[in-house]
Amino acid sequence: MKRTSDALVVGGGLHGLSAGLQLARRGLKVTLFERARIGRHASGASAAGVRTLGRARAELPASLAAMEMWHHMEELVGDNCGFEPSGQIKVAETEIELIDLATKVELLRADGFTHEEMIDAAELRALVPAISRHCVGARLVRKDGAADPHRTIKAFYAAARSAGVHIHEGIGVTSIDRRRALWSVGTTTGDFEAPLLVNAGGAWAAQIAAMAGDEIPLDSPKASMMLVTERVRPFLKPTIGAVGRKLSFKQTAQGTILIGGGQQGKADLVAETSEIDGMAMSRSAAAALALFPEIANLRIVRTWAGLEAKTFDNIAIAGLSPSRDGLMHLFGFSGHGFQLVPILGVATAELLVDGYSKVDLSGLAPERLMDASGARPVGNGVGWGRD
Ligand SMILES: Cc1cc2nc3c(=O)[nH]c(=O)nc-3n(C[C@H](O)[C@H](O)[C@H](O)COP(=O)(O)OP(=O)(O)OC[C@H]3O[C@@H](n4cnc5c(N)ncnc54)[C@H](O)[C@@H]3O)c2cc1C
């Protein structure tokens, strides 16, 4: 016998939890399936940078709206998720890099976006005393920051459950069918049906889209890597990136240093796992050392990689299916989806229940990646994707 809900959510990462939470708060009966365990993949591996700085234009409306929510996170999920608005900084190491940064900030200003600013070498050193002497200035968003990924998962999980979401861990979705006005979803533990379906399947979401009838071509999956050092005295507040290097560098509340920034390990979607690439990892360490010479003798205590879907234009997919009723796609975050979690849950509920969203998601619509027959990738715009 089929079990019936108002909405089914595939994927128990942060985006599935956030969407489930908002749908349940609209009074819907929601059932969520997670094949492994909650937060097992990208959400649990995340560096949890909360960044509007350098966002691609298509993601900017959602990202700025999400940032307002991060500053009131406790009202949303009963915990601030360890969010510290300690700023995000992108450092220039040469005058040419500095001009490049300043031009981008001016272009944003010309379009009415005032969240980014430029700082000179003296202010950079005041904010980041440990930065290497050769750095000449930076681009900064003071209201950005970073959170604690596991505290965020715990808070969204608890909020979703108390809103009434039925969360099934260890249950994979194996088939999807549309019959009459209902989605019929086969799982490893039986069949479920509902008029609404959310595809938040992370690195496997294109497979789920295909089961539901949408071909959304993707680039090769990402296996972004992180390393964490032993604890040291507090010496750094903001999160640091660089123009000419793949780097994301920050100190956690516990004193450890977290280094990432986009170097890639090896992704294996079939085995549902990823592996560290030691050579690529050493490039992350070298980038960190170039900007922070004093970390030279620190011990690395752990390294890891996390799987995630990457689109051809490095921009997220968040929108209704162009060809199927009652289907929301929410994936392809290409390494920078953590910050978008709170707002895209709200937008999912708005789109599925009201038919429109107050947030401008036009640049995130899945159809931009599908040709008329739903099969060919288009576009090659770039977002930073350094997280
Ligand atoms: C190392 C790393 C660092 C990052 N750093 C940052 C950062 O600093 N800032 C930032 O904004 N973003 C960052 N990101 C990106 C961010 O973490 C992700 O965009 C976000 O967590 C994606 O969440 P999700 O819910 O879409 O995916 P996931 O957390 O991967 O969840 C998808 C879930 O779907 C499940 N699933 C798949 N198929 C099925 C099925 N058939 N049935 C049931 N369940 C299924 C999977 O098991 C998985 O748990 C980082 C990512 C990585 C890997």
Side-chain angles (χ1 to χ4, degrees), residues 335-386:
H336 41 267
F338 181 85
Q339 191 263 350
L340 298 170
V341 162
I343 193 65
L344 292 186
V346 173
T348 297
E350 288 177 342
L351 285 171
L352 284 175
V353 177
D354 306 331
Y356 72 95
S357 172
K358 290 191 276 300
V359 190
D360 177 7
L361 299 180
S362 51
L364 313 186
E367 49 268 45
R368 76 181 192 278
L369 301 167
M370 306 154 75
D371 73 3
S373 62
R376 212 176 50 224
V378 292
N380 59 0
V382 282
W384 275 5
R386 72 167 161 80

Side-chain angles (χ1 to χ4, degrees), residues 4 13 16 21 25 71 90 145 191 292:
T4 307
L21 166 68
R25 285 195 178 156
H71 281 263
K90 190 163 177 111
D191 295 341
F292 293 93

